[in-house]
Amino acid sequence: MKAAEIALTASTLIAGDRARQNGDLAKTFRAFADLAEAYLRNRRDPTAPLSPSEAAKLLMLLKLARSENGAHNNDDYIDMAGYAAIAGELEGRGL
């Protein structure tokens, strides 16, 4: 797929089904920003670089924000479970 096709597909999704499914863009990303800030402020060492497992945890928070602000979508919960599993594996590896 060429770049222009990718951009067009993304534009169609953002303005169409995903907009209806994920709720108001500003509200969802405000909620995600609030959750991410709280997480980052309260982790073991707030000054440490972000680890791979913490990155997976932040993606869980994005899905949580979407689930709170959009229409019910089982994929949000499946994705949260997947990111939790990834975070657990990475943390188990010390990452």
Side-chain angles (χ1 to χ4, degrees):
M1 187 177 261
K2 296 189 182 240
E5 293 170 308
I6 293 169
L8 181 60
T9 300
S11 175
T12 301
L13 290 171
I14 290 168
D17 289 342
R18 300 282 165 84
R20 287 185 293 281
Q21 189 174 58
N22 294 332
D24 179 71
L25 186 65
K27 187 176 178 184
T28 296
F29 276 87
R30 176 74 267 151
F32 171 60
D34 292 343
L35 289 167
E37 285 177 353
Y39 173 79
L40 293 170
R41 215 178 21 252
N42 290 290
R43 61 194 184 126
R44 288 183 195 112
D45 181 359
T47 63
L50 196 65
S51 70
S53 63
E54 289 176 314
K57 291 174 186 177
L58 289 174
L59 290 171
M60 289 169 51
L61 295 177
L62 173 60
K63 292 299 184 167
L64 180 63
R66 282 185 173 174
S67 73
E68 289 295 314
N69 291 292
H72 174 75
N73 179 5
N74 280 331
D75 285 346
D76 289 333
Y77 299 93
I78 293 166
D79 290 347
M80 276 190 268
Y83 289 132
I86 290 167
E89 180 178 332
L90 291 171
E91 198 166 302
R93 292 188 205 173
L95 301 173

